[in-house]
Amino acid sequence: MAKMLFLPLLILLLFLFECESFSAENPTDRRLLVLVDDLAIRSSHSLYFKFLESRGYVLEFRLADDPKLALQRYGHYLYDGLVIFSPSVQRFGGSLDQAAVLDFVDAGHDLILAADSYASDLIRGIASECGVDFDEDPDAVVIDHVGYAVSEIDGEHTLIAADDFIQSDVILGEKKIEAPVLFRGIGHSVNPASTLVLKVLSASPSAYSASPKTKLSTPSITGSTIALVSVVQARNNARMLISGSLDLFSNRHEKSGNEQFVTEISKWVFHERGHLKAVNVTHHRVAELAEPAMYRINDDLEYSIEIYEWSGSSWKPYVADDVQVQFYMMSPYVLKSLSTDLKGLYFTSFKVPDVYGVFQFKVEYQRLGYTSLSLSKQIPVRPFRHNEYERFIPAAFPYYGASFSTMAGFFIFTIVYLYNK
Amino acid sequence: MAKSTSSDVLTLIRSLRSAYAATPTNLKVVYMGIVGSFPFNSFLSGVLSCVGTAVLAVCLRIQVNKENKEFKDLPPERAFADFVLCNLVLHLVIMNFLG
Amino acid sequence: MVAPVEPKPGGTLRNAFGGVLGFFILLLIGVLAFSIRLFSVIKYESVIHEFDPYFNYRVTQFLTKNGIYEFWNWFDDRTWYPLGRVIGGTVYPGLTLTAGTMWWILNSLNIPLSVETVCVFTAPVFSAFAAWATYFLTKEVKGIGSGLTAATLLALVPSYISRSVAGSYDNEAVAIFALIFTFFLYIKTLNTGSLFYATLNALSYFYMVCSWGGYTFIINLIPMHALLCIVTGRYSSRLYIAYAPLVVLGTLLAALVPVVGFNAVMTSEHFASFLVFIIIHVVAFVYFIKGILSPKMFKVAITLVLTVGIAVCIAVIAILVALVASSPTKGWSGRSLSLLDPTYASKYIPIIASVSEHQPPTWPSYFMDINILAFLVPAGIIACFLPLSDASSFVVLYLVTSVYFSGVMVRLMLVLAPAACILSGIALSEAFDVLTQSVKLQLVKLLEGPLSNSGDTKDENSTAQNDVLKADKQVATNNKTEDVKERPSKKNRKKDKENTEKAPVKSHNEKRLLALPLEASAIAIILLVVLGSLYVIHCVWAAAEAYSAPSIVLTSRSHDGLHVFDDFREAYAWLRHNTEVDDKVASWWDYGYQTTAMANRTVIVDNNTWNNTHIATVGTAMSSPEKSAWEIFNSLDVKYVLVVFGGLVGYPSDDINKFLWMVRIGGGVFPHIKEPDYLRDGQYRIDAQATPTMLNCLMYKLSYYRFVETDGKGFDRVRRTEIGKKHFKLSHFEEVFTTHHWMVRIYKLKPPKNRMKGKTKKPKHTSKPLSGARRDGSTKKNPWQ
Amino acid sequence: MHSLFQFFRIIDLAGMSRYRWILALLAIFYSSLSICTASIVRPISESHRSAALELFVPVDESFGSLENTYEALRTLEILGLEKTYDISRATCKAVLETLGSSPSITKDLFYALKVNGILKCQIEAINFEGIASNMLAVLKNANSLPDFYYSIGSLLLIKKHGFEVILPDSDGAFHSIKALSQSDGRWRYDSNGAESSTYAAGMALEALAGIVFLADSEVDQSMIGVVKNDIVKLFDIIKSYNDGTLYFNDKYVHSSDYKSPLEISAAVVRGVTSFAEVSSGKLNIPGNKILGLAKFFLSIGVPGSSKDLFHQIESLSCLENNRIYIPLVISLPGTVLSLTSRDQLKVDVTTVFGAAAPPLSVKLVQAFNSNSEGKPIIENQELHFDKENSIHYLDIASLKMDVGKYKLIFEVSLHNLEDESKYATGGLTSFSAFFTGSIKIDKGELAILNSDGGSAETIEKLDLSKDSFLSLSANHLQKFRLSFQLTTPLGHTFKPHQVFLKLRHETKVEHLFVIDSSARQYKLILDFLGLVEKFYYLSGKYDIELTVGDATMENSFLRTLGFVELDLPEPPEKAAQPPPQPADPYLRYGPKQEISHIFRAPEKRPPKELSLAFLALTFLPLIGFIIGLTKLGVNLKLFPSSPGPAAFSILFHAGIAAVLLLYGLFWLKLDLFTALKALCFLGPFLVFVGHRTLSHLASTSAKLKSS
């Protein structure tokens, strides 16, 4: 029965989404590939998958070592997102490997990567390629003897209750997460140099990452530097969610913050939130409409740009007061905040500096959790033409006078000289 | 006889003229001293116009001076024509440079 | 000189004939000057030559397309990115306007020549003009004969050919003509003392200013000459007329040229003229009052005037000193400073020192450039000193100064060449003059010897007499043949008198002098002819072989025939066709002009080296390690980097050989680049002994990337060593194009990495098998737990 | 014998693992595990029921398809939940028309009958003979397993419904099904399908059971024996999770017909149990495998989807009363026992549905302290039985066990022997339990020692039971000493897992020190001289943070003890830079400082009056000039009297005037080239006219001279 139904449905969807798959116009993902190392996960995490399906995603479940795995066919990708729920897979089946996954991400697609109390080198490799380093000790898990989740059957304090969320409505949604998130798994540290990684959920100061069985040597990461869940937004705005625990997404832990946490963050990862686009960049001299090919120094110009945010179904005007434009030549000469009419249009006007050269209108808009906007538009600024300088300056009247008087004198002189006797 | 007088008169006129042409120069230099040389091109053209005319006048005077033996074979009319041409060029340039 | 064995009445006819002959000779000289410069077109093709000409060509195209006003206000946003360059205000428009006008005239005459053709042939045409100008100048100094000789010599002189072969479309091509012509008009004015020529002189000076920065040479040389005259008591009102209007008008006109602008009065190059201007006025006034006052009155007046004059001079000098002291470069542009102090540039301004043509020349180069003239010049100087006239003194002065300057910069050989030509022209013609006369007299003696008994001296005297008459006559004809418009001024006459006096003097003591000199003179003539022919041969060789190679197409002759390296155009064509219009290309500044002109892409720096820091930035990037270089280039929005590499085919003037200059220039602005880091105990090497800094700098990497793949061991044919580091990868740049002979290599900047890596420590291997075995056994982790 | 069996597994596993030395380690690991499992599973509880009520909610009083309906009803029935809603009407309608439409798909028919079996709709109208007959027809020419399964299943149901069904050729059917079985106990779906599946095995067994049930004549025992053998083989390929639960799974199933392990195991359980029902004699399946399966189903907890719930509950119910073994689940309500609040060690033994077990006794065979393996602490403690809430318990206070992590091994012994063969208890069962208590901390002191080591400069006693705040200062020549003592309630020294001292500089640079225990107390001595390198020569304030924690320590804590003011020497050249601290994401983004360009100041202009004054002044010389001329008494006597030359001379001066005027205009508005053009026209004219005038003048002057 399921076979009868699923196959044509999938094909139909494939054809349907060829046209409107992941794209600049419609950034929300549609087709997700879920890699598991045990199909039982489909039932054990069914609530999470059910949520995804309810959001209109088409999930395709595959064993991670399925020999027929392939992300792309005929050079273009079959999926918009990849969910890797197979912490223990040593090598993927089929044509898939670490490089393929990273290419998938570099092609602008999204990734959810869950390790667990064990993570294979493959998973670690992918994570560290994205700037997230799981604890090298393969037996280490996050332990917190102070902030653990009280339960009568778990004595190891490896199931910890973390509530140190990142403060961002874009990533975690407007609704605050009251209950702490129950986490059992391994911690990681984010590359401090990387500006792309964000710790979404970090452990409490008393936590540490070590193996509960063996005696403790100096742990590699401790305290709140332990990241439990991190997100990465690549420069091409591909988003990645890297979690140290697969357990986080599972059906158990009712009456904890997990469900809200994972659903909200998944919305973000799959571009239902915080995806901006800028259109209609226009600039022109004041009181003109046509965009000039070149400005003159000291011109007054007007600049405007429209910014919209993807709401998951449509483009809504983006409202903020901190969008800035730079008039840039090797360094910003003018840097102004744009004023907005709450309908997505941002505009300002300023005077071109009295320095000529090839300038750029730069809008570098990077905000926590939003896709980064960076547009630059080149525009030359020329000096005055020879006949554009000020003339008839009163200060110069005497000089004018002198010149003309000499001319007059010359004229008179010619007459006098010739005909004098 | 009449000839000589006329030449004297001419000499006088010319010296007068060169003197006259020189005065505005000093004037302007003073002025510049006061207000600074902002429209420098105007200043330059102003000064040089006066200097130029003065110089040219002097040249003319030299050429038509009868005592000067060097220019016997140069008729004063031709000298004058050159003078006019030179002046016209000078003033053209000055006008262009006056801004 | 025309052979004097004809009846008297034929004189006028003969002179007319002489005039026509002279005209045709001039015409031929022009043709010669034009045609000897066509080797490059014949041997290669009708292309623009090396670097600057390409810029001029581009500008000319712009001019012909958009008209004069657009050109005047042209702000070029495709060079010196992102600063841009105000072409209209920073270029010497003379050449461009000339070619533009020529093109316009030709087209309006329905002669459809492409702009390029016109540009290619501008230089030869103007060298013909220059030859004629030389003729006129020398004629003003020493008569027609020397004029023609000088013109011929100049038409052939190699150092001028080197700058004016067909296709080297550069300022000098026009400027030399303007230079000589200005001097001619100055001398002319000096000789005639007419305002008309003074005006023309000012105008041609204007043209010179338009054409070349070398105009400062004129505006300093002429005052020097004026001063010289005054000091040597040769002041005359003609001098005043020649000088004073020139200064006034010339200064004004010069100020009209945007690139000169106020420099015409602000910079110290011009102050000399003003000083002399004041001095000459004082002197003139002194003479004036001397004329109108009685001597004893005069004494008083003179002292008064002199004091006043000196006071004024001192005041002016004080002002100047103040100005000069205030301005950083002492009011002198770097180039002229390096003229005064040859070591200046190498000390302070590497960017000037880096240009090969700013180096002092070597002795061979003298012989190469002005072959035998070097020996004839002293003779010419002597000839000028008997008798010394204003004109000849001017020529001598010109020669002396130009010799000095050429000693400082190779480039200024060009200025020396005309002077040398003029003087040696004078020398030659004088020599011929003397010799032919003696020969003629000898012949007469031989003719008459048999008829008359040897003891009789009378008829010899008579012959001598009519010789004298003839001489006189012929002198008179000389005077007539001189330009009809202006009467011969005294000086000319005086000179001719002396000519004539020479003859009889000789003829009187001929019997003693010319006992044997027939053979001697004949031999001398032959020698001179041989000498001349040697010169001609040398010149032709120079024109054909040495100077006609357009450095964008290279050829090399080897045992298996001729090889043509057309890599530059290959590379530029690639850029033009495979990159976006707005992409920025970074290269060392030598290639900036060509890139903009041939590839039509924006460049960061080019041969107009007006902004030292910008060039230093590129130099720094080239001499930094890859990553920081990438950052520098990225901050300049550079997309492609172009390097020239001769190591494979042995092309010596490639970027590796220029690299030390990049280091110096870069280090001049950014101190963290230190030259010693690139030198292994003092010498510059790229082999295994090279310093690590050298082996890791961008220029090395871009030049030698994959070089080892050509031959097994990476042997550099220019440096004649194996390179130091052979196998390496590029992390921030990727090679996109390399020309057929590897002479030009183009790299692209990689975009920033999409992700940032973590620490990427590999897990410890001791633990891996354990974890592996524990998990991938038969027992998975229970997903529900 | 079970443990033996486990050992075989280890051997072959070790064979596949490349590293020899692991073998031993694994052996220990598995042997410890081989005493049955260590996982905690709870029997079906209220949470399942509530979940069931949430998951099975009818939309417009039906559960959708008949299959779903059946699952729902069946689950609710097993869980014994009374239907709070009535769906019979709509569902029965569906059932009726399914049964009514004579040539209907066997599957639907099958589920219709199943539903009907639960709902008991009034279906007198239906003629079961018809259905039965065409079921038989289907069965006769069936060749794929589902056909067999459904047809037999429905026949079975019809028979259950009370109609007499006779299976003509039972052996034939039996054989044709058996023909699909594989050597390894799996089955194929149909004769030409290659892939063998465990799920199919489940179906097949169930079908076979049906045949045996329906068979008019006795199916010969040999066949049944063979099938029993197959079942044993099938149980050989049972898989186990790392917590010891056992389950069935297919090697690789294509995702389109995906069967979760749960589904497959459920099918197998259904098949095996039903076959065990009908087959005479006992299937020899090891009891702990049944137990493992049961634990597998229980370990799922509360499934998220209705199907999973159904499978879990149904198969558990099959296990609840099967003829092989009835699994008895031993579970500890709590494995974390606090010594302070004198908890009891409780064990309860129930069936999977939490029903009471037959009379039995639980014995704590051994108790190991996990960190000191080897000799047991306690042996053979009988647990007391608490009747009313049927729980076995033990007072830990009486055990004299200290805080720590223990491995407890229990043994369940049934009282009456015939139960031994009925119930599977899994023999020895080991659990790991935590005995927690609050640890006493004393003799805490913190000292700054001088370099000579002996003499202490400052010594601060500190009470680590509450936050204290000390402020110390030290230089790089001194030492830092922290020492304290931890004792358990029973007075032994306590070695917690986590004892950290953290020094945090203002610049967030942290240094972690693990304190290890010397004889009876914890002591840490920091010699700053050796540490300057590690501290990156950062002088300044360091916060001191002490963390002590352990799984068995009830009062684990993280305390700030205060700060120490360190002054370290200046860093030398090329000293290691401190690692970059991650930039605060909230600060990294955000608007930049605004920049506005400063324009060049315009040139200073003189007052207009001044300029005008000078303008006037410049004209003075001109006037002076004219006056001078008049003074000189200039005259125009030479002006030509004859009209021609006069005209010319007028024209001449007019021309000059025109040119000057042109200049004026040029200055005012014209541009250079228009001016030049005009000049080109004026020039020749001027030359011509000038020539005439001047030549005339020359001639006149010449005349004058001559006369």
Side-chain angles (χ1 to χ4, degrees), chain A residues 120-121 124-129 132-137 189 220-221, chain C residues 757-765 768:
Chain A
S120 69
D121 296 340
R124 289 169 184 276
I126 296 175
S128 79
E129 278 294 323
V132 166
D133 296 301
F134 287 112
D135 189 348
E136 286 99 17
D137 179 0
S189 62
S220 55
I221 41 176
Chain C
K757 280 201 180 61
K759 294 190 290 297
T760 63
K761 285 208 211 86
K762 282 286 123 214
K764 303 173 214 63
H765 278 265
K768 196 153 90 193

mmCIF file of all heavy atoms in Angstrom, chain A residues 120-121 124-129 132-137 189 220-221, chain C residues 757-765 768:
data_model
loop_
_atom_site.group_PDB
_atom_site.id
_atom_site.type_symbol
_atom_site.label_atom_id
_atom_site.label_comp_id
_atom_site.label_asym_id
_atom_site.label_seq_id
_atom_site.Cartn_x
_atom_site.Cartn_y
_atom_site.Cartn_z
ATOM 1 N N SER A 120 31.290 9.210 14.629
ATOM 2 C CA SER A 120 32.360 8.616 13.824
ATOM 3 C C SER A 120 33.273 9.719 13.290
ATOM 4 O O SER A 120 32.918 10.893 13.302
ATOM 5 C CB SER A 120 31.752 7.870 12.641
ATOM 6 O OG SER A 120 31.206 8.813 11.756
ATOM 7 N N ASP A 121 34.433 9.310 12.815
ATOM 8 C CA ASP A 121 35.376 10.297 12.275
ATOM 9 C C ASP A 121 34.767 11.036 11.103
ATOM 10 O O ASP A 121 35.029 12.211 10.888
ATOM 11 C CB ASP A 121 36.660 9.589 11.843
ATOM 12 C CG ASP A 121 37.355 8.967 13.024
ATOM 13 O OD1 ASP A 121 37.064 9.414 14.144
ATOM 14 O OD2 ASP A 121 38.144 8.021 12.825
ATOM 15 N N ARG A 124 32.666 13.716 12.584
ATOM 16 C CA ARG A 124 33.565 14.725 13.154
ATOM 17 C C ARG A 124 34.197 15.552 12.038
ATOM 18 O O ARG A 124 34.294 16.776 12.119
ATOM 19 C CB ARG A 124 34.665 14.036 13.957
ATOM 20 C CG ARG A 124 34.181 13.414 15.241
ATOM 21 C CD ARG A 124 35.256 12.520 15.838
ATOM 22 N NE ARG A 124 34.768 11.854 17.023
ATOM 23 C CZ ARG A 124 34.775 12.427 18.234
ATOM 24 N NH1 ARG A 124 35.244 13.647 18.370
ATOM 25 N NH2 ARG A 124 34.310 11.776 19.279
ATOM 26 N N GLY A 125 34.600 14.853 10.982
ATOM 27 C CA GLY A 125 35.240 15.567 9.876
ATOM 28 C C GLY A 125 34.315 16.619 9.297
ATOM 29 O O GLY A 125 34.687 17.784 9.156
ATOM 30 N N ILE A 126 33.095 16.228 9.005
ATOM 31 C CA ILE A 126 32.149 17.190 8.429
ATOM 32 C C ILE A 126 31.984 18.368 9.382
ATOM 33 O O ILE A 126 32.077 19.536 9.005
ATOM 34 C CB ILE A 126 30.790 16.509 8.168
ATOM 35 C CG1 ILE A 126 30.945 15.421 7.120
ATOM 36 C CG2 ILE A 126 29.766 17.527 7.721
ATOM 37 C CD1 ILE A 126 29.700 14.618 6.882
ATOM 38 N N ALA A 127 31.796 18.056 10.664
ATOM 39 C CA ALA A 127 31.572 19.135 11.636
ATOM 40 C C ALA A 127 32.760 20.080 11.655
ATOM 41 O O ALA A 127 32.596 21.296 11.578
ATOM 42 C CB ALA A 127 31.342 18.532 13.014
ATOM 43 N N SER A 128 33.967 19.518 11.718
ATOM 44 C CA SER A 128 35.105 20.423 11.889
ATOM 45 C C SER A 128 35.353 21.186 10.599
ATOM 46 O O SER A 128 35.886 22.298 10.627
ATOM 47 C CB SER A 128 36.337 19.631 12.287
ATOM 48 O OG SER A 128 36.880 19.032 11.139
ATOM 49 N N GLU A 129 34.943 20.657 9.463
ATOM 50 C CA GLU A 129 35.014 21.441 8.229
ATOM 51 C C GLU A 129 34.117 22.670 8.329
ATOM 52 O O GLU A 129 34.341 23.672 7.654
ATOM 53 C CB GLU A 129 34.578 20.588 7.037
ATOM 54 C CG GLU A 129 35.683 19.700 6.494
ATOM 55 C CD GLU A 129 36.815 20.508 5.888
ATOM 56 O OE1 GLU A 129 36.519 21.541 5.258
ATOM 57 O OE2 GLU A 129 37.975 20.131 6.079
ATOM 58 N N VAL A 132 33.258 23.433 13.705
ATOM 59 C CA VAL A 132 32.792 22.900 14.984
ATOM 60 C C VAL A 132 33.619 21.664 15.311
ATOM 61 O O VAL A 132 33.704 20.757 14.496
ATOM 62 C CB VAL A 132 31.298 22.527 14.908
ATOM 63 C CG1 VAL A 132 30.909 21.672 16.088
ATOM 64 C CG2 VAL A 132 30.455 23.765 14.835
ATOM 65 N N ASP A 133 34.250 21.679 16.470
ATOM 66 C CA ASP A 133 35.127 20.564 16.815
ATOM 67 C C ASP A 133 34.532 19.790 17.985
ATOM 68 O O ASP A 133 34.446 20.305 19.093
ATOM 69 C CB ASP A 133 36.504 21.095 17.219
ATOM 70 C CG ASP A 133 37.163 21.787 16.050
ATOM 71 O OD1 ASP A 133 37.349 21.126 15.024
ATOM 72 O OD2 ASP A 133 37.430 22.997 16.156
ATOM 73 N N PHE A 134 34.141 18.578 17.712
ATOM 74 C CA PHE A 134 33.674 17.731 18.803
ATOM 75 C C PHE A 134 34.855 17.341 19.668
ATOM 76 O O PHE A 134 36.003 17.296 19.203
ATOM 77 C CB PHE A 134 32.993 16.469 18.264
ATOM 78 C CG PHE A 134 31.645 16.730 17.678
ATOM 79 C CD1 PHE A 134 31.411 16.591 16.324
ATOM 80 C CD2 PHE A 134 30.612 17.152 18.491
ATOM 81 C CE1 PHE A 134 30.163 16.839 15.805
ATOM 82 C CE2 PHE A 134 29.357 17.398 17.965
ATOM 83 C CZ PHE A 134 29.136 17.248 16.621
ATOM 84 N N ASP A 135 34.572 17.040 20.919
ATOM 85 C CA ASP A 135 35.632 16.620 21.825
ATOM 86 C C ASP A 135 36.335 15.403 21.235
ATOM 87 O O ASP A 135 35.702 14.448 20.817
ATOM 88 C CB ASP A 135 34.998 16.272 23.186
ATOM 89 C CG ASP A 135 36.064 16.053 24.226
ATOM 90 O OD1 ASP A 135 37.232 15.958 23.831
ATOM 91 O OD2 ASP A 135 35.718 16.009 25.412
ATOM 92 N N GLU A 136 37.699 15.501 21.226
ATOM 93 C CA GLU A 136 38.417 14.413 20.532
ATOM 94 C C GLU A 136 38.249 13.083 21.257
ATOM 95 O O GLU A 136 38.242 12.035 20.642
ATOM 96 C CB GLU A 136 39.908 14.740 20.434
ATOM 97 C CG GLU A 136 40.233 15.810 19.417
ATOM 98 C CD GLU A 136 40.408 17.153 20.087
ATOM 99 O OE1 GLU A 136 40.599 17.160 21.328
ATOM 100 O OE2 GLU A 136 40.316 18.186 19.398
ATOM 101 N N ASP A 137 38.159 13.136 22.549
ATOM 102 C CA ASP A 137 38.059 11.892 23.306
ATOM 103 C C ASP A 137 36.777 11.170 22.902
ATOM 104 O O ASP A 137 35.675 11.668 23.121
ATOM 105 C CB ASP A 137 38.023 12.221 24.807
ATOM 106 C CG ASP A 137 37.889 10.954 25.634
ATOM 107 O OD1 ASP A 137 37.839 9.872 25.013
ATOM 108 O OD2 ASP A 137 37.838 11.070 26.864
ATOM 109 N N SER A 189 33.409 22.391 20.717
ATOM 110 C CA SER A 189 33.848 23.777 20.867
ATOM 111 C C SER A 189 33.836 24.404 19.492
ATOM 112 O O SER A 189 34.128 23.748 18.493
ATOM 113 C CB SER A 189 35.273 23.811 21.434
ATOM 114 O OG SER A 189 36.133 23.173 20.513
ATOM 115 N N SER A 220 39.187 18.481 27.866
ATOM 116 C CA SER A 220 39.589 19.453 26.840
ATOM 117 C C SER A 220 38.682 20.668 26.867
ATOM 118 O O SER A 220 39.140 21.787 26.649
ATOM 119 C CB SER A 220 39.526 18.802 25.464
ATOM 120 O OG SER A 220 38.222 18.280 25.273
ATOM 121 N N ILE A 221 37.414 20.489 27.093
ATOM 122 C CA ILE A 221 36.526 21.660 27.159
ATOM 123 C C ILE A 221 35.679 21.563 28.413
ATOM 124 O O ILE A 221 35.215 20.489 28.786
ATOM 125 C CB ILE A 221 35.624 21.764 25.907
ATOM 126 C CG1 ILE A 221 35.116 20.387 25.500
ATOM 127 C CG2 ILE A 221 36.336 22.450 24.793
ATOM 128 C CD1 ILE A 221 34.152 20.422 24.357
ATOM 129 N N LYS C 757 37.013 26.611 8.681
ATOM 130 C CA LYS C 757 37.326 25.313 9.282
ATOM 131 C C LYS C 757 37.486 25.456 10.793
ATOM 132 O O LYS C 757 37.715 26.535 11.310
ATOM 133 C CB LYS C 757 38.626 24.777 8.706
ATOM 134 C CG LYS C 757 38.487 24.125 7.364
ATOM 135 C CD LYS C 757 39.681 23.196 7.128
ATOM 136 C CE LYS C 757 39.608 22.514 5.786
ATOM 137 N NZ LYS C 757 39.614 23.439 4.658
ATOM 138 N N GLY C 758 37.356 24.336 11.456
ATOM 139 C CA GLY C 758 37.670 24.318 12.885
ATOM 140 C C GLY C 758 39.146 24.013 13.054
ATOM 141 O O GLY C 758 39.944 24.170 12.135
ATOM 142 N N LYS C 759 39.508 23.533 14.246
ATOM 143 C CA LYS C 759 40.923 23.243 14.471
ATOM 144 C C LYS C 759 41.362 22.055 13.634
ATOM 145 O O LYS C 759 42.514 21.917 13.282
ATOM 146 C CB LYS C 759 41.147 22.942 15.949
ATOM 147 C CG LYS C 759 40.890 24.137 16.847
ATOM 148 C CD LYS C 759 41.341 23.882 18.259
ATOM 149 C CE LYS C 759 40.461 22.871 18.967
ATOM 150 N NZ LYS C 759 39.070 23.354 19.114
ATOM 151 N N THR C 760 40.392 21.202 13.284
ATOM 152 C CA THR C 760 40.652 20.002 12.463
ATOM 153 C C THR C 760 41.817 19.196 13.014
ATOM 154 O O THR C 760 42.783 18.933 12.327
ATOM 155 C CB THR C 760 40.984 20.373 11.001
ATOM 156 O OG1 THR C 760 42.198 21.143 11.024
ATOM 157 C CG2 THR C 760 39.895 21.184 10.373
ATOM 158 N N LYS C 761 41.741 18.891 14.293
ATOM 159 C CA LYS C 761 42.683 17.900 14.830
ATOM 160 C C LYS C 761 42.129 16.523 14.509
ATOM 161 O O LYS C 761 40.935 16.270 14.666
ATOM 162 C CB LYS C 761 42.821 18.063 16.349
ATOM 163 C CG LYS C 761 43.644 19.255 16.762
ATOM 164 C CD LYS C 761 44.294 18.980 18.117
ATOM 165 C CE LYS C 761 44.481 20.251 18.914
ATOM 166 N NZ LYS C 761 43.286 20.610 19.699
ATOM 167 N N LYS C 762 42.987 15.653 14.075
ATOM 168 C CA LYS C 762 42.527 14.267 13.841
ATOM 169 C C LYS C 762 42.365 13.579 15.188
ATOM 170 O O LYS C 762 43.186 13.781 16.090
ATOM 171 C CB LYS C 762 43.546 13.509 12.981
ATOM 172 C CG LYS C 762 43.451 13.868 11.508
ATOM 173 C CD LYS C 762 42.220 13.238 10.864
ATOM 174 C CE LYS C 762 41.363 14.315 10.236
ATOM 175 N NZ LYS C 762 39.934 14.055 10.306
ATOM 176 N N PRO C 763 41.320 12.802 15.365
ATOM 177 C CA PRO C 763 41.166 12.092 16.642
ATOM 178 C C PRO C 763 42.346 11.165 16.870
ATOM 179 O O PRO C 763 42.982 10.692 15.927
ATOM 180 C CB PRO C 763 39.884 11.287 16.446
ATOM 181 C CG PRO C 763 39.156 11.987 15.356
ATOM 182 C CD PRO C 763 40.190 12.604 14.485
ATOM 183 N N LYS C 764 42.617 10.906 18.156
ATOM 184 C CA LYS C 764 43.783 10.049 18.447
ATOM 185 C C LYS C 764 43.541 8.649 17.898
ATOM 186 O O LYS C 764 42.463 8.091 18.037
ATOM 187 C CB LYS C 764 43.992 9.983 19.965
ATOM 188 C CG LYS C 764 44.178 11.329 20.593
ATOM 189 C CD LYS C 764 44.196 11.178 22.099
ATOM 190 C CE LYS C 764 43.578 12.364 22.792
ATOM 191 N NZ LYS C 764 42.153 12.517 22.456
ATOM 192 N N HIS C 765 44.576 8.094 17.314
ATOM 193 C CA HIS C 765 44.381 6.803 16.659
ATOM 194 C C HIS C 765 44.249 5.675 17.666
ATOM 195 O O HIS C 765 43.659 4.656 17.383
ATOM 196 C CB HIS C 765 45.542 6.523 15.704
ATOM 197 C CG HIS C 765 45.343 7.221 14.400
ATOM 198 N ND1 HIS C 765 44.766 6.617 13.310
ATOM 199 C CD2 HIS C 765 45.591 8.500 14.031
ATOM 200 C CE1 HIS C 765 44.690 7.483 12.311
ATOM 201 N NE2 HIS C 765 45.171 8.632 12.722
ATOM 202 N N LYS C 768 40.557 5.190 18.244
ATOM 203 C CA LYS C 768 39.627 4.972 17.129
ATOM 204 C C LYS C 768 39.176 3.517 17.027
ATOM 205 O O LYS C 768 38.000 3.234 17.077
ATOM 206 C CB LYS C 768 40.261 5.425 15.817
ATOM 207 C CG LYS C 768 39.233 5.587 14.714
ATOM 208 C CD LYS C 768 39.702 6.599 13.693
ATOM 209 C CE LYS C 768 40.491 5.892 12.618
ATOM 210 N NZ LYS C 768 41.238 6.802 11.764
#
